[in-house]
Amino acid sequence: MPDTLIEAQSVGRRYPQGGVSIAAVASATFRLHAGDRVALVGRSGSGKSTLLHLMAGLDVPTSGAVTWPALGTAETLLPEKISLVFQAPSLLEPLTVSENVALPLLMAKATCDIHRAVADALTTFGLENLARKLPEQLSGGQMQRVAMARAIVGNPNVILADEPTGQLDGPTGRALLDALLAHLAGTQTALVIATHDPAVAERMERMWQMERGTLIETVNPVEDI
Ligand SMILES: Nc1ncnc2c1ncn2[C@@H]1O[C@H](COP(=O)(O)OP(=O)(O)O)[C@@H](O)[C@H]1O
Ligand SMILES: [Mg+2]
């Protein structure tokens, strides 16, 4: 059996909202294994972003538990072992594209050739010509591609991408996904993409459906593992 990278047991996350508390995620139970390719689908507000943040250890459940059996504790996950691509723009404004992409390697004190690794990550997403640009000089779609390059540069165990094609037109979104899946082909990196685009979801091997905070379908439920 492949390594269990992320395990969620009855995980819930409630937020106070207008004097009551709402369940952004309600009792989700699942495992993510090395090599998994998962589409996390559901309407806006169904809890996808909240679930990704819990999986990354960036947020703490209000009930249940998330563990990372093959990866370690929450404090050690980002950015080396888990790359989280945020839904909102997350590039650092004063840094060039190259410097933004280099960040995970610098934070991890990587011993590899950083220039080469950054160049390779940029090439993967066709960004070579933007290396010296600042984020403010990029379109929304270009920023999303830079964020993806930053997510792959350190060869993490898990990539959690929150609506990575949300700013892109159909062909550009497909090209980004093609590039990502080609890059990951044959690797054990697990990939979870939150999306409400069926064309993206159908490219993945498994589908997790969120509906008002409930993970209602996993193709590969825990009982069957
Ligand atoms: N920081 C927050 N404070 C209060 N409510 C939140 C917060 N983040 C998310 N929510 C609520 O949790 C629910 C799920 O949100 P989210 O995880 O962003 O869904 P999705 O990513 O599927 O659009 C929504 O009702 C949203 O309003
Ligand atoms: Mg979201």
Side-chain angles (χ1 to χ4, degrees), residues 4-9 11 54-55 65-72 77:
T4 299
L5 303 178
I6 305 180
E7 179 160 12
Q9 280 293 338
V11 163
L54 292 165
M55 292 173 74
V66 183
T67 54
W68 298 268
L71 300 179
L77 301 173

Side-chain angles (χ1 to χ4, degrees), residues 127-173:
L127 295 164
E128 313 80 312
N129 296 334
L130 300 179
R132 291 167 187 273
K133 300 264 190 214
L134 290 168
E136 66 187 18
Q137 298 172 293
L138 306 181
S139 69
Q142 288 170 335
M143 286 189 206
Q144 281 191 314
R145 284 153 60 203
V146 175
M148 287 305 311
R150 187 172 61 182
I152 65 162
V153 74
N155 291 320
N157 302 86
V158 183
I159 297 173
L160 306 173
D162 201 349
E163 313 258 8
T165 61
Q167 297 274 331
L168 307 175
D169 60 41
T172 315

Side-chain angles (χ1 to χ4, degrees), residues 89-128:
S90 59
L91 302 182
L92 297 191
E93 292 293 331
L95 302 185
T96 65
V97 164
S98 281
E99 290 164 347
N100 265 284
V101 173
L103 274 178
L105 300 174
L106 297 173
M107 289 171 70
K109 300 188 171 60
T111 54
C112 66
D113 179 343
I114 290 181
H115 288 291
R116 172 109 312 267
V118 169
D120 287 348
L122 292 177
T123 302
T124 298
F125 293 103
L127 295 164
E128 313 80 312

Side-chain angles (χ1 to χ4, degrees), residues 7-74:
E7 179 160 12
Q9 280 293 338
S10 308
V11 163
R13 175 64 163 103
R14 300 190 74 88
Y15 286 114
Q17 235 179 48
V20 293
S21 99
I22 63 127
V25 172
S27 196
T29 295
F30 59 85
R31 286 179 187 159
L32 184 77
H33 293 117
D36 279 348
R37 304 278 186 267
V38 180
L40 177 61
V41 298
R43 303 164 79 132
S44 183
S46 60
K48 302 183 298 298
S49 294
T50 304
L51 190 68
L52 290 185
H53 296 173
L54 292 165
M55 292 173 74
L58 197 63
D59 192 9
V60 179
T62 46
S63 57
V66 183
T67 54
W68 298 268
L71 300 179
T73 58

